[in-house]
Amino acid sequence: MNNLDDQIEPVIALDDDSVMQYLLQNPDFFIRNARSVEQMHVPHPVKGSISLVEWQLGRQRHQIAQLEEEITLLMEQASINESLFGRMIELQATLAAASSLQDMLNRLQRWARSLGLAGANVRLFSEGWRIGAPSDFTHLAVSRGAFESMRIQRLGETPHYLGGLNGPELLLLLPQAKAVGSVALSLMGEQGELGMLIFSSRDPQHYQPGMGTVLLDQLAKMLPGLLERWIERV
């Protein structure tokens, strides 16, 4: 006679993966065992335990709430983008109507201040534009070589930088500006070879890394064509 232990069938070890595989292979399990499922309870951090059905409904309500929150955020962002692009179209028309380069720069400055910013500045790489003496706009010029170390440190391979600038950087790019807390800087040109558009704010937290740059990108693409009305490219 065999030992009693030998007659006992080995117990099949169950783990999460085994249970999951069984349920996937038997999709009608909950239908066949509906009454038992209704009696099942799962742990709950507040109520102690709740029925499996109630737990599932709770998960669905949570997922719906998350989706509603995401939709609300998307609608708010769309509204903001619509407002910004409306302002950009308005700005483009305003700049195109300028009677001189100084008039255009003044219009750009007023537009920036209407948004609550400290100002807007255009700096052009001297290697890409004919703005040397006797031009009236030599103050717009900055050497691309002098800017290169800052470009590597602040922008890397991207065409935009949002954040603060230190003393030497401000002296190079915005020597006349006062109380600059943060800036949004965008390179102009296919390879960033033409210069830069700089919006400044007195608030150090106004421009921060990670913020959207779609509007900045569009403005940086638009300006060179307008500048060519008064300044010759090299």
Side-chain angles (χ1 to χ4, degrees):
M1 183 175 179
N2 294 333
N3 188 287
L4 182 60
D5 291 339
D6 294 335
Q7 299 179 25
I8 300 176
E9 294 182 359
V11 177
I12 299 175
L14 291 178
D15 55 21
D16 289 358
D17 289 338
S18 300
V19 175
M20 184 61 66
Q21 287 299 321
Y22 176 82
L23 293 176
L24 291 174
Q25 295 170 7
N26 297 270
D28 60 342
F29 172 84
F30 291 103
I31 297 176
R32 291 187 285 105
N33 298 275
R35 181 167 297 181
S36 298
V37 170
E38 292 174 357
Q39 296 174 355
M40 289 182 182
H41 285 73
V42 296
H44 190 275
V46 178
K47 299 180 181 179
S49 67
I50 57 176
S51 70
L52 187 60
V53 174
E54 186 179 356
W55 175 77
Q56 180 64 21
L57 289 174
R59 285 197 61 190
Q60 291 176 346
R61 283 194 293 267
H62 178 68
Q63 291 171 347
I64 291 171
Q66 284 186 317
L67 288 173
E68 290 177 342
E69 184 177 349
E70 291 174 4
I71 291 172
T72 299
L73 290 174
L74 287 173
M75 292 178 64
E76 290 176 353
Q77 189 60 50
S79 177
I80 292 172
N81 288 340
E82 182 180 4
S83 175
L84 288 175
F85 276 103
R87 285 179 173 270
M88 189 189 74
I89 293 172
E90 177 187 347
L91 173 63
Q92 186 174 9
T94 298
L95 297 182
S99 58
S100 66
L101 177 56
Q102 188 58 58
D103 183 27
M104 190 187 83
L105 296 176
N106 290 342
R107 289 169 182 246
L108 179 62
Q109 187 78 265
R110 288 196 295 270
W111 182 81
R113 289 177 176 171
S114 73
L115 298 178
L117 300 174
N121 295 83
V122 173
R123 299 305 305 273
L124 304 176
F125 291 136
S126 53
E127 296 86 348
W129 302 83
R130 300 189 187 281
I131 49 177
S135 168
D136 294 331
F137 296 96
T138 56
H139 62 284
L140 298 180
V142 61
S143 168
R144 191 174 183 181
F147 174 72
E148 185 62 13
S149 62
M150 178 181 169
R151 183 195 67 77
I152 294 173
Q153 180 180 358
R154 295 295 193 181
L155 285 81
E157 299 300 320
T158 68
H160 307 288
Y161 169 71
L162 297 98
L165 297 177
N166 60 35
E169 292 169 340
L170 286 172
L171 187 61
L172 174 66
L173 300 184
L174 302 171
Q176 306 302 321
K178 298 180 181 179
V180 175
S182 58
V183 303
L185 184 156
S186 296
L187 295 178
M188 297 187 294
E190 292 295 329
Q191 305 297 325
E193 76 281 4
L194 298 180
M196 64 199 85
L197 169 65
I198 309 169
F199 290 102
S200 58
S201 171
R202 295 181 179 85
D203 181 1
Q205 304 301 319
H206 188 84
Y207 290 117
Q208 301 180 45
M211 295 176 66
T213 59
V214 175
L215 182 62
L216 293 172
D217 189 58
Q218 294 300 315
L219 291 175
K221 290 178 179 177
M222 175 184 71
L223 275 177
L226 295 173
L227 291 167
E228 288 180 8
R229 296 170 62 190
W230 296 284
I231 308 176
E232 184 181 355
R233 293 268 297 273
V234 173

